[in-house]
């Protein structure tokens, strides 16, 4: 069976994460991605603007015995203030399914966060962005994001997209970014 975008996102990141690495979950939510990163990396920073997300994620991590995660109750647009370097970053855009569906990621802060993630990304590091865009405002965020990532300089980044082409109702899709390893000599 064809791999779903979220599974592809995890595999894309897992390929480069080692046990010493620092990783970032830019949209903590219920903590599924935070736990995924915690199981692979040495240090995880996770961000969300909702207290509920921190509570859910904390519970999930405790149940799994993962203690090397720092949860930040602040927008991901500020991530560079907390993380100097990262090997992998994941975004899951949109709203938290179990909470207020009006509390969504927004174009301006999402772009600022993706830009910050690009800056802190180590050479060979990767960013996975799951784009959910069926909700009000989602289409505008998607368009702004696609415009932004398409302009990333190809000398430094490789940018890919993974999506179904024949599915109805705004199917979620994946944007993958890799920072190239500098060539010497
Ligand atoms: C689709 S959910 C994330 C799902 C999550 N990855 C999981 O595994 O359950 C999107 C999350 O982004 C959060 N969010 C919205 N704006 C944000 C911002 N500026 N910074 C960080 N998180 C934000 C929402 O509160 C919501 O929890």
């Amino acid at each position: 069976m064809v791999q779903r975008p979220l599974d592809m996102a995890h595999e894309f990141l897992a390929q480069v994460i080692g046990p010493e690495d620092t990783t970032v979950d830019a949209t903590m939510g219920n903590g599924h991605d935070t736990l995924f990163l915690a199981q692979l990396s040495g240090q995880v920073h996770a961000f969300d603007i909702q207290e509920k997300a921190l509570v859910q994620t904390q519970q999930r991590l405790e149940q799994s015995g993962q203690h090397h995660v720092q949860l930040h109750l602040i927008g991901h647009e500020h991530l560079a203030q907390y993380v100097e370097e990262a090997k992998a970053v994941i975004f899951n855009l949109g709203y938290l399914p179990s909470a207020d569906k009006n509390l969504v990621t927004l174009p301006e802060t999402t772009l600022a966060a993706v830009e910050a993630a690009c800056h802190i990304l180590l050479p060979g590091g990767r960013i996975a962005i799951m784009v959910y865009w069926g909700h009000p405002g989602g289409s505008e965020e998607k368009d702004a994001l696609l415009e932004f990532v398409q302009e990333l300089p190809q000398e430094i980044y490789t940018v890919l997209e993974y999506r179904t082409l024949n599915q109805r109702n705004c199917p979620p899709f994946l944007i993958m970014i890799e920072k190239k390893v500098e060539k010497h000599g």
Side-chain angles (χ1 to χ4, degrees), residues 90-161:
I90 190 162
F91 290 80
N92 235 295
L93 303 180
Y95 55 82
L96 186 58
S98 57
D100 181 354
K101 292 192 173 38
N102 293 314
L103 251 176
V104 293
T105 52
L106 297 170
E108 197 180 327
T109 39
T110 297
L111 291 197
V114 173
E115 190 170 14
C118 286
H119 280 126
I120 64 159
L121 200 63
L122 288 164
R126 294 179 171 182
I127 301 171
I129 310 171
M130 278 299 306
V131 186
Y132 296 88
W133 55 285
H135 55 279
S139 188
E140 288 76 12
E141 182 181 43
K142 166 186 72 75
D143 291 344
L145 185 60
L146 284 172
E147 197 176 315
F148 175 81
V149 298
Q150 281 166 19
E151 293 297 321
L152 285 171
Q154 66 174 25
E155 295 76 18
I156 306 177
Y157 302 99
T158 304
V159 183
L160 304 97
E161 191 181 356

Side-chain angles (χ1 to χ4, degrees), residues 6 10 25-35 46-53 57 60 72 74-78 90-97 99-100 103-106 109-110 113 130 132 141:
L6 183 59
H10 284 186
D25 183 356
T27 49
M28 189 187 318
N30 287 321
H32 297 282
D33 296 321
T34 309
L35 177 59
F47 296 84
D48 208 295
I49 51 171
Q50 295 194 61
E51 179 102 42
K52 184 174 181 183
T57 302
R60 191 177 299 283
H72 305 282
I74 191 166
H76 44 211
E77 60 275 21
H78 303 291
I90 190 162
F91 290 80
N92 235 295
L93 303 180
Y95 55 82
L96 186 58
D100 181 354
L103 251 176
V104 293
T105 52
L106 297 170
T109 39
T110 297
M130 278 299 306
Y132 296 88
E141 182 181 43

